[in-house]
Amino acid sequence: MENSLNTRSMIFTLYGDYIRHYGNEIWIGSLIRLLKEFGHNEQSVRAAISRMNKQGWVTARKEKNKSYYYLTEQGINRMEEAAERIFKLQPQKWDGKWRILMYNIPEEKRSLRDEMRQELVWSGFGSMANSCWVSPNILEKQVYAIIEKYNIKPYVHFFVASYDGPHQNAKLVEECWNINEINSKYEEFITTYTEKFMTAKSKIKSGMMADAECFVERTKLVHEYRKFLFIDPGLSEELLPDNWLGSQAAALFENFYKALAEPASRFFESVFQEGNELGKKDEEYDVLTHPLMIQN
């Protein structure tokens, strides 16, 4: 089961980073071939795509004896939601205000709570107390989208306010997020991926790293770095500690991604062209950029 989930997660990454730029659909044979590079066998790929189909993320169409899978509207929305979350890693200058969301959801609707908590964390909120969430980021749009999505208008109150003490704003940050833990995750990422980057750069330069290997490394890099979307609230610089490592990790991600991008895309296209139409490639697509790169 775990391997199936892992396979499904990798399929989402491939749709987000490659397939959506090439007409948004792929022949199952090509998908199996691509995932073989990560050690996933045909059976696990078919099981994962079948589950994604049942859950409404992808849908299939037949052409002769071939099955092609493309993202449904629900699947495309998931990709767009992820893209919106990326922007929290590109914080604007802080306006000095705190967004406070409080709710008292009745017991019969308790199943909503866990899902809602996850959405609030994803959006960049931190928990101050039970059913009290705060963020210094401009999240009005996201808050009202959550209220509408979960149909909880009667049970919530939303404030935009200034903090009047008796402590500093930094104390609020400390209480609502485990900044040290997030920073230590960035440190782990930097340690692991600096070494991988140096090795890969030298192998690419000397022609010792195959395109397939670059494809695997690039996909794993995005897969790992994307995890910060779920834990980093994207606070503005003035609310972060002096030793914050988020910017260093972002620069490393960008440099490593650019080093791997062209050979990785070459490999993807070499597999994709057998059974799919390369002509569907989006002309605007630039292999050297990625939404996770923070544009200053």
Side-chain angles (χ1 to χ4, degrees), residues 128-290:
M128 186 168 223
N130 214 5
S131 305
C132 176
W133 292 78
V134 308
S135 174
N137 299 343
I138 298 167
L139 291 171
E140 282 80 339
K141 185 181 146 203
Q142 287 87 335
V143 166
Y144 285 105
I146 288 170
I147 290 170
E148 195 180 326
K149 179 177 177 180
Y150 294 102
N151 195 19
I152 51 167
K153 194 175 177 181
Y155 318 112
V156 303
H157 297 287
F158 180 56
F159 306 84
V160 178
S162 302
Y163 180 59
D164 204 27
H167 307 286
Q168 300 296 312
N169 284 299
K171 175 85 169 140
L172 281 189
V173 172
E174 200 182 292
E175 288 189 14
C176 296
W177 295 276
N178 192 336
I179 289 293
N180 290 336
E181 192 182 312
I182 299 165
N183 215 20
S184 72
K185 291 258 191 281
Y186 273 127
E187 190 174 17
E188 281 171 32
F189 176 83
I190 289 164
T191 305
T192 304
Y193 279 89
T194 298
E195 193 179 328
K196 283 178 181 284
F197 179 39
M198 300 315 285
T199 306
K201 201 160 69 163
S202 137
K203 282 172 77 177
I204 290 167
K205 198 175 173 185
S206 60
M208 300 289 288
M209 192 163 176
D211 289 358
E213 206 181 334
C214 291
F215 169 76
V216 169
E217 276 305 317
R218 180 185 132 165
T219 308
K220 283 181 176 173
L221 170 72
V222 170
H223 209 61
E224 280 307 306
Y225 188 67
R226 191 178 275 133
K227 289 175 183 174
F228 290 107
L229 290 180
F230 301 93
I231 60 168
D232 183 349
L235 304 178
S236 66
E237 209 175 307
E238 63 214 272
L239 291 168
L240 291 166
D242 293 340
N243 66 339
W244 182 245
L245 296 169
S247 306
Q248 195 181 324
L252 172 61
F253 170 77
E254 180 167 352
N255 291 331
F256 196 3
Y257 185 92
K258 284 181 173 173
L260 296 167
E262 286 176 336
S265 289
R266 264 199 314 269
F267 176 76
F268 174 82
E269 289 190 354
S270 72
V271 172
F272 188 80
Q273 68 187 0
E274 290 179 38
N276 303 274
E277 283 181 48
L278 261 183
K280 290 182 178 176
K281 183 178 177 180
D282 180 2
E283 287 175 18
E284 303 284 302
Y285 174 46
D286 176 3
V287 301
L288 293 175
T289 67
H290 190 279

Side-chain angles (χ1 to χ4, degrees), residues 10-19 31 34-35 215 219:
M10 292 304 291
I11 292 171
F12 270 120
T13 297
L14 291 179
Y15 268 100
D17 276 6
Y18 292 95
I19 301 163
L31 196 58
L34 290 168
L35 282 152
F215 169 76
T219 308

